[in-house]
Amino acid sequence: MFQLSDATALTDDLRTLRRALHAEPELGLHLPDTQRTVIDALDGLPLEITTGTALSSVTAVLRGGRPGERSGPAVLLRADMDALPVQEATGLPYTSRRDGVMHACGHDLHVAALVGAARLLAGRREELAGDVVFMFQPGEEGHGGARLMLDEGVLDAAGERVVAAYGLHVLANTLPAGLVATRPGTILAASDGFDVTVTGRGGHGSAPHTAKDPVTVVCEMVLALQTMVTRTVDVFDPAVVTVGAIHAGDARNVIPQTATFSATVRTLSEPVRAQVRASVLRTLGGIADAHGVEVAVDYEDGYPVTVNDPAETAFATGVADGLLGAGRTFVAPRPISGSEDFSFVLQEVPGAFLGVGACPADRDPAAAPMNHSPEAAYDDGVLPTAAALLADLAARRLARAANDRTGEGGSAEDGSDDDGARDRRSGTVAP
């Protein structure tokens, strides 16, 4: 339905919007300035707009419908809006004006692309076989904003549950600008974490036998966790446990009463996620018992595994093939160990999450700073591509859903019938 040329006219507006967002980033669940900017950017479009209660989200519904037809199914498109607590070091002319806050993960591009998709779809609303829900979400960076928006009814914002959901994420490295990658099944890891406090008995550093030293216990625990992973987790269904912080004591000659450490856990399947949780608790408890100290573990379940529906992934790659041409879309060979709270959406409805290369042309994708780096930079020339891709996904998926309802059918891969799509599905298109 859409072509890249349809989005070209939006290039300047989307670039201006993205750079305005980049210069004024906000953290967490409450993004009042970002929310206002999004609402202003959508002004004049035939949208039903609501805002969140528990967070400063924006939900916009576009009522499509071919002339003479009643309202059809609904599809959801999502963009996250929050930034990171990072001091920007890019030196860009539109660098963050807020100390210690940066759009280091490219969410500013996500927002601008979704605004572009809304404009494209609104311009052809009469051709749409249903409704589109635009989900502008705060709090992706560790705050679970997607789950809060689910609680507030975003999946049913159009009046009935959406039949599919799509999101994308720009990449500052790995992929050249404009390439699209995704995969069926697990695409991103679950992200959990735990904080550990070991309580022993303080004493003089010259006489450790009179104390119960929590520092040596913590050191043993950190090393034991690495052995636990390599000896209990299947290498083909892997896990990562990384200790990022250790704290104990204030003086070199004093054995402290307590020592603490914190770790992150990444897993690629729910069974291994549960296995690692149990193993961590068992390992830490056993070591504490062996040394006669107390251990308290605060284990926090974070984001679940992000799992793409196979049929929706085939459909999405077909759409991308048709939009971008042969050789611009490929199936990623393995999941990424990062995490995403779009996973909560994909637990509720089928859908797909896609990666879009946005590495600037003057950088080598293999060596460029990655997302979350203070030096991460993104080519906002990909904005028309991202906007057109989101719009085309929604329009074509609505058409397929409407055909399914009327019995006309349509395959899961009917997003594109060109030779490039057939070649990609047969594995002949390389990254």
Side-chain angles (χ1 to χ4, degrees):
M1 178 177 286
F2 289 96
Q3 298 180 354
L4 281 179
S5 57
D6 295 322
T8 302
L10 302 177
T11 301
D12 290 343
D13 285 348
L14 298 185
R15 179 179 288 118
T16 298
L17 173 59
R18 180 259 163 155
R19 295 184 178 188
L21 291 165
H22 190 90
E24 301 291 343
E26 295 178 290
L27 300 173
L29 296 170
H30 301 290
L31 321 175
D33 294 339
T34 304
Q35 183 187 57
R36 188 177 309 110
T37 299
V38 169
I39 292 173
D40 289 346
L42 299 174
D43 186 48
L45 300 180
L47 301 170
E48 300 169 10
I49 294 178
T50 57
T51 55
T53 300
L55 70 175
S56 55
S57 60
V58 178
T59 300
V61 177
L62 175 67
R63 301 291 181 186
R66 295 166 181 162
E69 293 184 1
R70 64 177 179 82
S71 179
V75 167
L76 181 142
L77 302 175
R78 176 268 204 165
D80 39 7
M81 305 194 295
D82 55 323
L84 284 158
V86 172
Q87 182 64 46
E88 184 162 358
T90 62
L92 293 168
Y94 50 91
T95 194
S96 171
R97 293 195 284 264
R98 296 180 173 172
D99 287 343
V101 186
M102 176 190 174
H103 268 299
C105 203
H107 295 185
D108 48 339
L109 280 84
H110 302 169
V111 173
L114 190 55
V115 168
R119 293 182 182 178
L120 290 171
L121 289 161
R124 298 171 70 169
R125 63 182 299 199
E126 295 286 330
E127 302 173 36
L128 300 179
D131 305 329
V132 183
V133 178
F134 302 95
M135 176 183 178
F136 293 92
Q137 177 215 311
E140 190 280 326
E141 297 290 355
H143 300 273
R147 183 162 50 187
L148 294 174
M149 290 192 72
L150 293 179
D151 291 342
E152 295 193 352
V154 68
L155 296 181
D156 303 298
E160 64 174 271
R161 178 140 300 202
V162 297
V163 296
Y166 304 102
L168 57 77
H169 206 300
V170 293
L171 302 173
N173 64 352
T174 307
L175 286 179
L179 265 64
V180 174
T182 189
R183 68 190 313 274
T186 297
I187 187 169
L188 290 163
S191 174
D192 302 316
F194 57 92
D195 301 310
V196 179
T197 300
V198 174
T199 303
R201 185 170 64 241
H204 200 288
S206 66
H209 62 285
T210 66
K212 291 185 177 181
D213 189 350
V215 176
T216 56
V217 176
V218 161
C219 291
E220 184 175 333
M221 287 176 171
V222 171
L223 294 176
L225 289 172
Q226 307 310 308
T227 304
M228 177 208 78
V229 170
T230 62
R231 292 299 177 267
T232 63
V233 178
D234 185 346
V235 68
F236 296 107
D237 192 0
V240 175
V241 177
T242 297
V243 175
I246 302 177
H247 301 282
D250 299 302
R252 67 175 64 172
N253 63 342
V254 176
I255 295 173
Q257 189 85 358
T258 62
T260 64
F261 69 95
S262 300
T264 184
V265 180
R266 306 297 170 121
T267 49
L268 296 175
S269 72
E270 289 300 327
V272 171
R273 186 185 187 196
Q275 174 192 343
V276 169
R277 189 185 201 279
S279 296
V280 165
L281 298 176
R282 183 177 62 252
T283 299
L284 299 181
I287 293 173
D289 287 344
H291 289 275
V293 298
E294 299 295 324
V295 62
V297 184
D298 181 10
Y299 202 107
E300 180 183 353
D301 292 332
Y303 295 169
V305 179
T306 304
V307 181
N308 281 344
D309 179 84
E312 294 297 342
T313 306
F315 171 78
T317 49
V319 170
D321 277 332
L323 182 72
L324 304 178
R328 304 293 294 174
T329 306
F330 67 94
V331 176
R334 65 183 67 88
I336 298 173
S337 57
S339 62
E340 246 287 349
D341 74 345
F342 192 62
S343 54
F344 291 117
V345 176
L346 295 181
Q347 284 185 329
E348 299 293 327
V349 295
F353 196 64
L354 302 91
V356 178
C359 183
D362 61 351
R363 295 187 174 189
D364 177 4
M370 69 183 300
N371 295 39
H372 288 218
S373 166
E375 297 179 343
Y378 301 87
D379 181 358
D380 49 22
V382 306
L383 288 172
T385 297
L389 177 57
L390 288 170
D392 211 28
L393 282 169
R396 292 184 183 278
R397 186 61 179 85
L398 287 174
R400 200 186 96 193
N403 288 339
D404 289 345
R405 289 188 177 190
T406 59
E408 294 179 24
S411 74
E413 298 182 358
D414 64 0
S416 170
D417 292 322
D418 66 7
D419 292 337
R422 288 192 292 272
D423 288 345
R424 180 203 51 73
R425 288 192 289 271
S426 65
T428 60
V429 174

